Amino acid sequence: MSVPIVLAGARGHGRWHVENIKRLQAEGLVRLVGICELNPLTAQEFGGEPPAQSADFSSLLDATGAQAAVVCTPIPTHTDLALTAARRGVHLLLEKPPAPSYAEFRRMADGVAAAGVACQIGFQSLGSHAVPAIRELVAEGAIGEVVGIGGAGAWARDEAYFRRAPWAGRRRLDGTDVIDGALTNPLAHAVATALALAGSVRAEDVTGVETELWHANAIEADDTSCVRVTTTAGPPVAVAATLCAERPGEPYVLVHGSRGRITFWYKQDRVLLQRAGHGPQEFEYGRTDLLENLVRHLTDGAALLVPPEATGAFMKVVEAIRQAPDPAPLPESAWRHLPAERRRVVPGVDGLVAACADTLALYSELGAPWAHREVSHR
């Protein structure tokens, strides 16, 4: 029996969800019964005749009898749309980040729980089969005692990326939190995956967060930033990111052990194990799609891979970034413009990002000449 589903937000990243839902529909798992967009999709955009469309999410849910919804809309709308679905008994896949503040996250998570509906948060990297495999390696003592977790993401985004929507690159919009920074949105997976491998996913697992937030682009939010999280589990978690890389590469998470380390390229589901007394070993894993997992949960009772409570620690990091002083602009001497690519780069930032993950140090501690501000502690 296929699950009738509505998609809210079918452009931008929502296009990926359209194709994924079509894939699951071909397998007989779901039926796309409605699309919620302010401007309806054309047949050309959808790749055929679209299902029912409406700009009114609540009326679309009512009219279609949807049992599940995918919410891939601007960050500030997540909580209200999730609660609109929950009040109707509609189960959810809610894109990351689940909310722009911890208070909004709690409002969403508590409301969903009270309504008794299932909610999956869209951290696709946590569906990777590499995650339990790495945990098993650590439990077996393959790299000795874990002493820290690092994360690194060196990406490039052109200036048009920050103009893709009114909320892009913003901390706030019309008095509402957005927090569309490098670590909270495009490279949020690096933070969430590092916390998951540290065994610290709940809000109460986080005891402190240090932040360094900068931007080379003409935006409010950060495009070059790092955080260090202290946890009840012990090992520190340090993640660095930039959208101004000289040579963009695959983001990864590093598990540092007393006798080795594990590198996880989470977009590729690829793992490298390096340990004393052994040659390097590389593994590739499969991945469970999070919407499919939600459907299996509804139809077969499978355990949800990323329920809201599994993202509480990530939301504590988002909250620390939200409460930190606004990101400071990098001096013009610290970046240069690439006219052919229409983007800004920060010379040397690729190495800094990698060094943060490797040493668990912040930019200022690594001697970055522009990272002179006192860090924000939460």
Side-chain angles (χ1 to χ4, degrees), residues 6 24 67 72 82 105 145 186 220 226 232 242 295 310 312 328 344 375:
V6 159
L24 295 178
Q67 294 178 13
C72 183
F105 169 72
E145 181 184 353
E220 284 182 354
C226 59
T232 57
T242 186
V295 171
R344 299 181 183 188
V375 298

Side-chain angles (χ1 to χ4, degrees), residues 226-252:
C226 59
V227 294
R228 185 164 54 208
V229 185
T230 52
T231 70
T232 57
V237 176
V239 185
T242 186
L243 303 179
C244 306
E246 294 180 284
R247 297 176 182 82
E250 285 292 330
Y252 59 90

Side-chain angles (χ1 to χ4, degrees), residues 62-219:
D62 293 339
T64 58
Q67 294 178 13
V70 175
V71 174
C72 183
T73 55
I75 301 165
T77 68
H78 284 185
T79 293
D80 285 339
L81 290 180
L83 294 179
T84 294
R87 284 192 291 268
R88 287 164 171 77
V90 175
H91 307 282
L92 283 158
L93 172 63
L94 180 62
E95 257 302 344
K96 61 79 191 162
S101 69
Y102 188 72
E104 283 291 277
F105 169 72
R106 279 268 50 96
R107 186 164 74 90
M108 180 278 296
D110 293 345
V112 164
V117 299
C119 180
Q120 182 102 279
I121 307 300
F123 283 108
Q124 292 288 344
S125 61
L126 300 184
S128 176
H129 303 166
V131 172
I134 293 170
R135 287 172 174 157
E136 187 173 344
L137 284 170
V138 169
E140 291 171 352
I143 57 171
E145 181 184 353
V146 174
V147 296
I149 313 286
W155 276 2
R157 291 294 183 265
D158 62 18
E159 290 167 332
Y161 172 82
F162 300 106
R163 298 192 298 269
R164 71 192 188 279
W167 53 269
R170 300 293 294 268
R171 299 259 294 167
R172 299 167 197 88
L173 181 62
D174 298 330
T176 300
D177 288 321
V178 176
I179 319 301
D180 180 37
L183 286 169
T184 53
N185 193 11
L187 286 156
H189 284 88
V191 178
T193 307
L195 289 166
L197 292 179
S200 302
V201 298
R202 302 171 305 162
E204 54 267 34
D205 294 333
V206 173
T207 58
V209 182
E210 300 167 83
T211 63
E212 292 189 1
L213 310 174
W214 302 86
H215 59 84
N217 286 278
I219 58 174

Side-chain angles (χ1 to χ4, degrees), residues 223-315:
D223 59 33
T224 300
S225 49
C226 59
V227 294
R228 185 164 54 208
V229 185
T230 52
T231 70
T232 57
V237 176
V239 185
T242 186
L243 303 179
C244 306
E246 294 180 284
R247 297 176 182 82
E250 285 292 330
Y252 59 90
V253 172
L254 272 175
V255 183
H256 296 276
S258 57
R259 296 196 304 275
R261 69 183 193 174
I262 298 168
T263 308
F264 175 30
W265 291 272
Y266 59 79
K267 286 180 66 67
Q268 300 176 323
D269 303 310
R270 185 163 60 93
V271 171
L272 176 64
L273 171 63
Q274 298 167 290
R275 51 183 171 165
H278 296 76
Q281 294 175 276
E282 193 164 336
F283 309 92
E284 291 187 7
Y285 295 90
R287 177 179 292 211
T288 298
D289 176 73
L290 295 186
L291 180 56
E292 182 174 353
N293 175 241
L294 173 63
V295 171
R296 300 291 187 193
H297 174 77
L298 300 178
T299 58
D300 303 330
L304 282 179
L305 288 172
V306 198
E309 58 267 26
T311 65
F314 169 79
M315 284 306 308

